[in-house]
């Protein structure tokens, strides 16, 4: 059996240096993902670098925005009173995720970087282009109920499972990193790569690049936001489909809107066509229905997940109704 | 490394790959914490880390050398059961007992996170703990008792409930 070494980093620079020196390094924060990936043989690092003491852990409110440390725990962010008031979609997404125990352990950074729940990916006995490039994608013609209707390719139709990532996508968040090439600011939409023909590359992060914080603009639109998650169980289950909406109304007219979809794509999916349908328009039945339809335009259903198209449309219209105060 | 469990320090040598769950059970012989799924899905491995509930299969032993770890073995005060343990007995909140240590530890942790939860909030809060014997109604009742200050000596709630039925 291969040896796994463990080191505790004291600073971000030290973490990056350790990782840069060892190509099989994995960072660990909460450990709720890595332990399973290691146990299942999906990702077995040669070196585990514990980053719990190196990066920010707090929630810092600045004028017009909040900075959330990557090492903040999901539970800590979810119960922050100001977060509930100013960015309600964030605690809503966090509380819809995982279980109480996992939320106490899991970090914000780790949550964004968690890997797909695709059962072919997570089972080393089965082919998977993301895990073993070139081995094939059994999901394309297999058990694909949970898989993507948007953003997939003929190499991979995985779905990204993070609820928080969907909420942050609807809030135009920025991910702050520190890596071998220095510090970067990544719009959250650019963090996760679409599989294309290189599905084994899941994010744009370089090896050793550490997520240190997330910045979120705290706008009036963000304060009027919701998250709705649709799934087979009422709790402790990943999304079949989820929707995050931030909506700014002036009277009944949509001044601005952000819509992000979860459970449908390899990364949270900004429904820009749906936003364009609504922006500047009155929030009527017809406009809401049009947004629902626009959100899935161009979607590619598979044998077992065509239901997601209607489910996305209805979930979106439901959330718009809720934010619009009912029709 | 050293693990501080139920107030006592234990020195042990473990490989980094060893989960806290395996260290507790196999190395420290504290077998009250159970391995149900070893994937963080069933909650049978729930312990308290610095007073907060956590799944011990989802962390590595080497990561917890600065934590105050509480297992089911450390919950009672000498011979006096913890109120949650007492409530589980009074409410018959278990059948085979395998999930029970994890349920109790999770309930203790949950009640620190949330005061006076409704039944719906109890169920939601305990959703990380599975019970194949389906003792859920009695588990919820036990937690409700503790959360709302019922079930201690002199509490006649059970008798009143029975009279209503």
């Amino acid at each position: 059996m291969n040896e796994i070494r463990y080191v505790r980093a004291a600073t971000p620079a030290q973490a990056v240096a350790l990782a840069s020196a060892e190509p099989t390094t994995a960072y660990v924060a909460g450990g709720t993902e890595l332990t399973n990936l290691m146990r299942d043989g999906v990702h077995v690092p040669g070196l585990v670098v514990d980053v719990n003491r190196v990066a920010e852990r707090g929630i810092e409110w600045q004028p017009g925005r909040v900075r959330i440390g990557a090492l903040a725990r999901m539970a800590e962010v979810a119960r922050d009173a100001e977060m509930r008031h100013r960015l309600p979609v964030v605690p809503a997404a966090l509380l819809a995720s995982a279980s109480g125990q996992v939320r106490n352990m899991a970090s914000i950074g780790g949550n964004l970087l968690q890997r797909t729940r695709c059962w072919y990916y997570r089972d080393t006995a089965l082919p998977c282009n993301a895990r073993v490039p070139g081995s094939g994608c059994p999901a394309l013609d297999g058990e694909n109920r949970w898989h993507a209707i948007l953003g997939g390719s003929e190499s991979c139709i995985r779905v990204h499972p993070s609820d928080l990532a969907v909420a942050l996508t609807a809030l135009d968040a920025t991910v702050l990193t520190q890596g071998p090439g220095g510090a970067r600011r990544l719009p959250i939409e650019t963090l996760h790569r679409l599989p294309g023909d290189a599905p084994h590359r899941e994010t744009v992060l370089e090896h050793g690049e550490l997520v240190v914080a997330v910045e979120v603009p705290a706008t009036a639109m963000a304060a009027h936001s919701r998250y709705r998650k649709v799934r087979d169980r009422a709790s402790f289950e990943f999304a079949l489909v989820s929707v995050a909406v931030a909506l700014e109304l002036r009277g009944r007219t949509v001044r601005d809107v952000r819509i992000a979809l979860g459970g449908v794509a390899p990364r949270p999916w900004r429904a820009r066509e749906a936003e364009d349908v609504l922006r500047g328009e009155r929030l009527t039945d017809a406009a809401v229905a049009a947004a629902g339809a626009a959100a899935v335009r161009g979607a590619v259903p598979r044998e077992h997940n065509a239901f997601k198209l209607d489910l996305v449309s209805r979930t979106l219209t439901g959330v718009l109704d809720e934010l619009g105060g009912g029709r | 490394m050293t693990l501080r469990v139920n107030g006592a320090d234990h020195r042990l040598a473990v490989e980094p790959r060893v989960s806290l769950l395996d260290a507790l059970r196999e190395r420290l012989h504290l077998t009250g914490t159970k391995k149900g799924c070893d994937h963080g899905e069933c909650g049978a491995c729930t312990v308290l880390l610095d007073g907060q509930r956590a799944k011990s299969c989802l962390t590595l032993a080497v990561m917890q050398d600065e934590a105050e770890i509480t297992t089911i073995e450390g919950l009672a005060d000498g011979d006096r059961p913890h109120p949650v343990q007492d409530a589980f007995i009074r409410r018959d909140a278990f059948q085979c007992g395998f999930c029970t240590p994890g349920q109790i530890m999770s309930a203790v942790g949950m009640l620190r996170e949330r005061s006076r939860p409704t039944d719906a909030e109890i169920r939601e809060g305990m959703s990380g703990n599975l019970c194949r014997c389906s003792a859920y109604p009695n588990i919820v009742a036990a937690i409700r008792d503790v959360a709302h200050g019922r079930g201690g000596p002199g509490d006649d709630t059970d008798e009143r409930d029975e009279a209503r039925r």
Side-chain angles (χ1 to χ4, degrees):
Chain A
M1 205 194 296
N2 297 326
E3 184 196 6
I4 299 175
R5 290 173 294 126
Y6 169 84
V7 164
R8 210 168 260 169
T11 65
Q14 188 195 16
V16 173
L18 286 164
S20 298
E22 175 51 70
T24 66
T25 299
Y27 289 138
V28 71
T32 58
E33 254 284 70
L34 186 63
T35 47
N36 281 333
L37 294 173
M38 284 167 59
R39 239 184 315 256
D40 292 341
V42 175
H43 178 60
V44 185
L47 173 66
V48 172
V49 174
D50 185 324
V51 295
N52 282 297
R53 289 155 192 81
V54 314
E56 302 168 37
R57 185 154 172 164
I59 301 167
E60 189 190 327
W61 291 93
Q62 303 162 355
R65 68 184 183 190
V66 65
R67 185 176 169 117
I68 306 170
L71 273 306
R73 271 35 192 178
M74 293 171 71
E76 292 167 355
V77 179
R79 64 173 163 254
D80 184 86
E82 199 153 357
M83 193 73 62
R84 294 182 170 196
H85 186 62
R86 298 178 68 177
L87 302 174
V89 68
V90 170
L94 289 168
L95 291 172
S97 307
S99 64
Q101 295 95 313
V102 172
R103 290 193 293 269
N104 285 342
M105 302 168 78
S107 67
I108 294 301
N111 181 279
L112 297 180
L113 298 179
Q114 70 182 286
R115 302 186 183 198
T116 183
R117 310 306 305 187
C118 172
W119 31 62
Y120 299 107
Y121 175 79
R122 295 210 173 226
D123 188 342
T124 56
L126 300 173
C128 167
N129 284 330
R131 184 169 31 81
V132 180
S135 62
C137 175
L140 291 170
D141 295 312
E143 296 300 325
N144 48 37
R145 180 170 181 268
W146 280 63
H147 291 72
I149 54 170
L150 292 160
S153 72
E154 289 310 298
S155 296
C156 179
I157 50 169
R158 66 168 173 259
V159 158
H160 197 274
S162 165
D163 297 298
L164 176 66
V166 178
L168 292 177
T169 299
L171 297 181
D172 294 318
T174 304
V175 177
L176 280 58
T177 70
Q178 188 164 336
R184 290 211 281 172
R185 296 177 59 90
L186 303 168
I188 190 156
E189 270 194 274
T190 66
L191 176 63
H192 300 100
R193 303 181 74 256
L194 293 182
D197 54 14
H200 57 288
R201 299 182 56 201
E202 297 178 19
T203 70
V204 298
L205 298 180
E206 297 173 42
H207 175 72
E209 190 170 359
L210 176 69
V211 175
V212 296
V214 176
E215 270 182 16
V216 190
T219 62
M221 180 173 58
H224 195 221
S225 58
R226 290 289 185 277
Y227 189 71
R228 188 174 295 186
K229 181 175 182 179
V230 184
R231 45 185 168 169
D232 289 331
R233 288 197 298 268
S235 184
F236 200 19
E237 178 60 285
F238 293 95
L240 285 173
V241 154
S242 70
V243 172
V245 179
L247 181 68
E248 191 182 353
L249 290 173
R250 182 175 284 160
R252 295 298 300 163
T253 301
V254 175
R255 193 154 182 267
D256 204 357
V257 64
R258 296 283 185 280
I259 301 170
L261 309 176
V264 296
R267 66 182 178 212
W269 199 259
R270 272 287 296 278
R272 284 194 162 80
E273 282 192 52
E275 293 173 8
D276 291 344
V277 159
L278 293 171
R279 211 171 268 116
E281 298 298 316
R282 286 179 60 79
L283 201 66
T284 61
D285 285 12
V288 167
V296 290
R297 199 162 293 141
V300 178
R302 302 287 165 171
E303 183 181 350
H304 300 292
N305 70 3
F307 70 89
K308 287 194 180 188
L309 275 79
D310 273 356
L311 194 54
V312 165
S313 299
R314 289 183 199 147
T315 307
L316 174 57
T317 56
V319 175
L320 287 169
D321 282 352
E322 190 184 332
L323 281 169
R327 294 185 262 156
Chain B
M1 62 160 300
T2 301
L3 285 177
R4 186 168 183 81
V5 186
N6 302 328
D9 284 344
H10 299 266
R11 281 208 56 78
L12 65 164
V14 285
E15 290 183 57
R17 75 177 77 237
V18 174
S19 68
L20 176 62
L21 174 63
D22 280 337
L24 290 170
R25 289 181 54 81
E26 306 296 329
R27 305 302 295 279
L28 301 186
H29 306 297
L30 292 169
T31 54
T33 309
K34 305 304 183 193
K35 177 179 287 189
C37 71
D38 211 18
H39 270 79
E41 292 168 9
C42 77
C45 69
T46 304
V47 297
L48 301 180
L49 299 179
D50 296 322
Q52 295 204 310
R53 54 180 175 159
K55 292 186 173 178
S56 60
C57 76
L58 290 184
T59 187
L60 304 174
V62 293
M63 293 174 66
Q64 301 303 333
D65 65 347
E66 290 174 15
E68 290 274 352
I69 302 166
T70 311
T71 69
I72 190 70
E73 289 92 345
L75 206 56
D77 177 13
D79 277 346
R80 290 194 311 156
H82 187 281
V84 172
Q85 289 174 307
D86 186 63
F88 267 59
I89 294 167
R90 283 166 44 83
R91 286 293 192 175
D92 190 25
F94 50 91
Q95 279 198 266
C96 79
F98 192 82
C99 77
T100 309
Q103 298 278 2
I104 290 172
M105 298 310 291
S106 186
V108 171
M110 187 195 70
L111 291 171
R112 293 179 184 182
E113 295 163 14
R114 192 201 292 264
S115 59
R116 304 189 69 81
T118 63
D119 275 13
E121 289 170 338
I122 291 171
R123 290 193 186 91
E124 165 65 37
M126 293 296 292
S127 66
N129 290 81
L130 304 181
C131 172
R132 292 291 276 132
C133 297
S134 211
Y136 297 118
N138 292 0
I139 292 170
V140 171
I143 296 170
R144 182 198 310 132
D145 281 354
V146 179
H148 296 272
R150 290 202 283 269
D155 186 329
D156 65 350
T157 309
D158 288 348
E159 285 70 28
R160 284 187 278 119
D161 283 348
E162 196 59 50
R164 263 198 292 275
R165 270 195 277 278

